[in-house]
């Protein structure tokens, strides 16, 4: 009898967990829709400014000393890694953190510095002894352009002062609800594009007062919008991953409940059969 009580208690416990997982699934689905709308709003500007900055090299000659565009000897590399502040989102945090770590380990001859956006990434690299120069929390679900702008200005200052020689951003790109791809992209120095790949309008661009001043003022905005776009991508992927994880957890709970219920019914049937056998045996003994 105690075994049946234990099974009933476990069924009740798993059923409560199932309800929590179902509620979290619905919350994540709602947040996913809101995050997706924000991402769709920012993507056109995000893509346009990236195109402008990539094609800007068309107006730069080899004898020009243009800030943020000229490559230098790389000694220090800055990585901006985007993760979430909370768990229960499947392999979302582990995948992007491992991708960043693999890139850091591949460039062991260069000193790595990390800006961790999200507490999970900060904890991941802290435990591995990496140098974290800045930590940003609370930006995964309630991020704003101001958050990205502050980080963008910091990155621009670090690059201008020579504290870092290259800047990469590591985030999760949203393809679909079930497809989230970790991306690593170089932000600085500005990517050199082959002349055949330049936009046709790049060669006709004019800069006021000159291209160096334009780049000097445009790059902080470019960094801020790129970081903000990555934040939006990461936020959508986080909610999509959490929604699918909670959906999977709900189905697993249902399977466990079905198994426990079957076990409970078998034990109860066994007890009923045993009682019937004892009654029949007693009746036969008296006769």
């Amino acid at each position: 009898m105690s075994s049946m009580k234990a099974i009933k208690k476990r069924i009740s416990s798993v059923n409560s967990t199932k309800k929590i997982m179902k509620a979290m699934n619905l919350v994540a689905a709602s947040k996913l829709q809101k995050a997706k709308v924000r991402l769709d709003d920012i993507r056109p500007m995000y893509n346009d400014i990236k195109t402008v900055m990539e094609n800007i090299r068309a107006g730069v000659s080899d004898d020009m000393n243009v800030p943020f565009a000229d490559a230098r000897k790389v000694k220090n590399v800055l990585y901006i890694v985007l993760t979430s502040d909370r768990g229960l989102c499947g392999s979302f945090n582990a995948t992007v953190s491992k991708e960043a770590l693999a890139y850091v380990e591949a460039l062991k001859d260069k000193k790595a510095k990390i800006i961790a956006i999200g507490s999970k990434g900060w904890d991941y690299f802290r435990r591995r002894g990496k140098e974290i120069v800045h930590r940003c929390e609370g930006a995964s679900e309630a991020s704003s352009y101001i958050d990205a702008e502050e980080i963008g200005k910091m990155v621009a200052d670090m690059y201008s002062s020579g504290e870092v020689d290259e800047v990469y951003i590591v985030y999760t790109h949203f393809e679909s609800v079930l497809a989230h791809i970790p991306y690593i992209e170089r932000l600085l120095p500005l990517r050199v594009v082959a002349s055949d790949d330049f936009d046709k309008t790049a060669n006709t661009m004019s800069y006021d007062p000159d291209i160096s001043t334009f780049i000097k003022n445009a790059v902080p905005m470019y960094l801020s919008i790129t970081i903000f776009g990555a934040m939006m991508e990461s936020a959508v992927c986080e909610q999509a991953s959490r929604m699918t994880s909670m959906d999977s957890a709900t189905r697993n709970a249902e399977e466990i409940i079905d198994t426990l219920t079957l076990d409970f019914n078998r034990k109860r049937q066994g007890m009923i059969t045993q009682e019937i056998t004892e009654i029949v045996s007693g009746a036969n003994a008296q006769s």
Side-chain angles (χ1 to χ4, degrees):
M1 195 67 180
S2 60
S3 179
M4 290 181 63
K5 287 183 177 179
I7 293 174
K8 286 188 69 175
K9 187 175 181 180
R10 191 177 176 198
I11 290 174
S12 177
S13 175
V14 174
N15 196 46
S16 298
T17 303
K18 172 190 167 184
K19 292 179 180 178
I20 295 172
M21 297 299 102
K22 183 65 175 178
M24 292 182 68
N25 178 26
L26 295 174
V27 171
S30 176
K31 289 183 177 181
L32 171 62
Q33 295 302 319
K34 294 179 181 179
K36 187 67 168 57
V37 170
R38 295 184 70 189
L39 176 61
D40 291 339
D41 289 341
I42 190 65
R43 260 182 174 170
M45 181 170 62
Y46 170 66
N47 292 330
D48 287 345
I49 196 169
K50 283 184 66 176
T51 301
V52 170
M53 298 308 294
E54 288 173 357
N55 284 297
I56 208 169
R57 287 288 295 190
V60 181
S61 60
D62 294 335
D63 59 342
M64 289 183 180
N65 183 20
V66 180
F68 302 111
D70 293 327
R72 59 177 79 154
K73 186 177 180 180
V74 179
K75 296 180 180 179
N76 301 287
V77 182
L78 177 66
Y79 299 90
I80 307 170
V81 184
L82 282 77
T83 59
S84 69
D85 293 312
R86 299 187 294 119
L88 296 177
C89 50
S91 61
F92 169 76
N93 291 309
T95 300
V96 68
S97 297
K98 287 179 181 178
E99 182 75 12
L101 182 63
Y103 208 85
V104 170
E105 295 296 334
L107 302 175
K108 287 186 177 181
D109 57 325
K110 301 176 179 62
K111 186 176 181 181
K113 299 183 179 183
I114 295 171
I115 292 179
I117 301 178
S119 61
K120 293 296 181 180
W122 169 81
D123 187 58
Y124 182 89
F125 289 101
R126 176 187 60 83
R127 286 187 280 107
R128 285 159 179 79
K130 303 303 179 181
E131 182 181 357
I132 302 174
V133 296
H134 182 69
R135 172 186 179 185
C136 179
E137 292 184 10
S140 60
E141 293 186 9
S143 56
S144 65
Y145 183 74
I146 295 177
D147 298 320
E149 189 175 34
E150 291 177 354
I151 297 173
K153 289 179 179 178
M154 180 189 307
V155 171
D157 291 341
M158 292 177 69
Y159 188 85
S160 298
S161 65
E163 186 177 347
V164 296
D165 306 304
E166 275 187 342
V167 179
Y168 291 86
I169 187 167
V170 189
Y171 66 99
T172 310
H173 182 74
F174 179 77
E175 295 287 341
S176 68
V177 174
L178 298 176
H180 320 134
I181 303 173
Y183 265 36
I184 182 164
E185 179 182 353
R186 193 180 82 178
L187 299 183
L188 295 175
L190 297 178
R191 186 167 69 92
V192 178
V193 182
S195 58
D196 294 339
D197 297 331
F198 280 122
D199 190 294
K200 296 295 184 181
T201 61
N203 293 319
T204 60
M205 283 185 179
S206 60
Y207 303 93
D208 186 22
D210 55 69
I211 190 170
S212 296
T213 304
F214 175 81
I215 292 179
K216 184 178 180 181
N217 289 277
V219 164
M221 182 179 68
Y222 156 69
L223 293 173
S224 300
I225 291 179
T226 301
I227 293 170
F228 185 59
M231 283 180 172
M232 295 297 98
E233 296 272 4
S234 182
V236 174
C237 292
E238 177 190 349
Q239 298 305 331
S241 182
R242 181 169 289 115
M243 185 183 72
T244 54
S245 295
M246 294 303 100
D247 183 59
S248 177
T250 301
R251 290 198 304 270
N252 290 339
E254 290 174 349
E255 292 177 2
I256 292 173
I257 290 172
D258 290 341
T259 301
L260 291 172
T261 301
L262 181 61
D263 190 25
F264 177 82
N265 290 335
R266 282 175 177 170
K267 287 183 178 295
R268 185 177 64 177
Q269 185 63 43
M271 291 184 64
I272 294 173
T273 303
Q274 183 180 354
E275 289 178 358
I276 293 174
T277 301
E278 291 175 353
I279 292 171
V280 172
S281 299
N284 289 338
Q286 289 181 356
S287 62

